[in-house]
Amino acid sequence: MRQHQIVAAVVRQGDAILLVRQQGADDPRPTWALPGGVVEDGELLHEALARELREETGLALRRVGALLYVAQTHVTHMTRGVLRGEAGARAEAYVATAFVFDVAGWIGEIASDDPDHVVSAARFFPRAEAIALLDQLGARVMREPIVAYLRGEAAPGAVWLYRRQDDGTDALISLS
């Protein structure tokens, strides 16, 4: 079974939170999400975080902050899409583990140059608006942990464990 590591960043400007507008090959519509992506072979988490932040937002990571939460999904079958949204890719079972970090320091101006052509825009949203946009994410594993964290309903360092169901939804198995 394949293992994938994913990183995502919570970047703040005052009370505002940076989100990226993304649409993968299999997504019916664009959504706003945290900047981040798949860790490449040979990369450490902080290196992947810096690369993804630069590619998707144009910002340079200066200092990684706290690990906010980990969300892991076990997918034994696919109902649509694949990790990374590669159209026509062979569906296979995998475990994806996402590490979401606070960004303690960054510099630069927003300018997306996403080589995967998934991200079309990046901008800061007031906290309440960012939460509302993130609450619209279709994938429970992407939506639930960040919304709970930003609302103060989940402590930093929480571990969220999900298993993909036959109907394509993610069932929460455990939260610690």
Side-chain angles (χ1 to χ4, degrees):
M1 178 172 299
R2 293 183 51 97
Q3 301 279 325
H4 299 283
Q5 292 182 328
I6 300 163
V7 292
V10 174
V11 180
R12 302 167 201 266
Q13 187 176 56
D15 191 42
I17 297 170
L18 181 65
L19 300 180
V20 295
R21 188 171 190 253
Q22 64 183 24
Q23 184 172 11
D26 294 319
D27 295 336
R29 62 180 172 75
T31 57
W32 289 94
L34 296 176
V38 176
V39 177
E40 295 178 356
D41 287 341
E43 278 185 319
L44 295 175
L45 295 176
H46 74 286
E47 294 167 337
L49 191 68
R51 177 184 50 77
E52 288 289 347
L53 189 62
R54 183 183 65 256
E55 289 175 356
E56 294 186 358
T57 71
L59 301 179
L61 177 66
R62 288 295 179 225
R63 197 169 70 252
V64 177
L67 176 63
L68 300 179
Y69 62 87
V70 174
Q72 188 173 61
T73 304
H74 179 228
V75 178
T76 57
H77 56 279
M78 304 285 292
T79 56
R80 70 170 187 82
V82 296
L83 195 67
R84 287 187 179 241
E86 298 163 344
R90 188 173 66 95
E92 60 183 64
Y94 64 89
V95 172
T97 306
F99 301 88
V100 180
F101 292 94
D102 193 34
V103 170
W106 56 272
I107 61 169
E109 300 293 324
I110 293 176
S112 178
D113 188 25
D114 182 19
D116 297 324
H117 307 290
V118 172
V119 172
S120 60
R123 71 178 259 219
F124 285 95
F125 289 92
R127 180 185 175 94
E129 190 174 349
I131 292 170
L133 289 167
L134 291 166
D135 205 21
Q136 295 175 26
L137 287 168
R140 185 176 181 191
V141 66
M142 289 179 64
R143 176 185 70 246
E144 197 169 57
I146 187 58
V147 169
Y149 170 76
L150 292 173
R151 287 182 176 155
E153 299 167 355
V159 177
W160 300 72
L161 303 175
Y162 294 88
R163 188 173 309 278
R164 180 76 38 94
Q165 303 299 300
D166 289 341
D167 65 0
T169 61
D170 296 320
L172 181 63
I173 303 302
S174 176
L175 169 61
S176 61

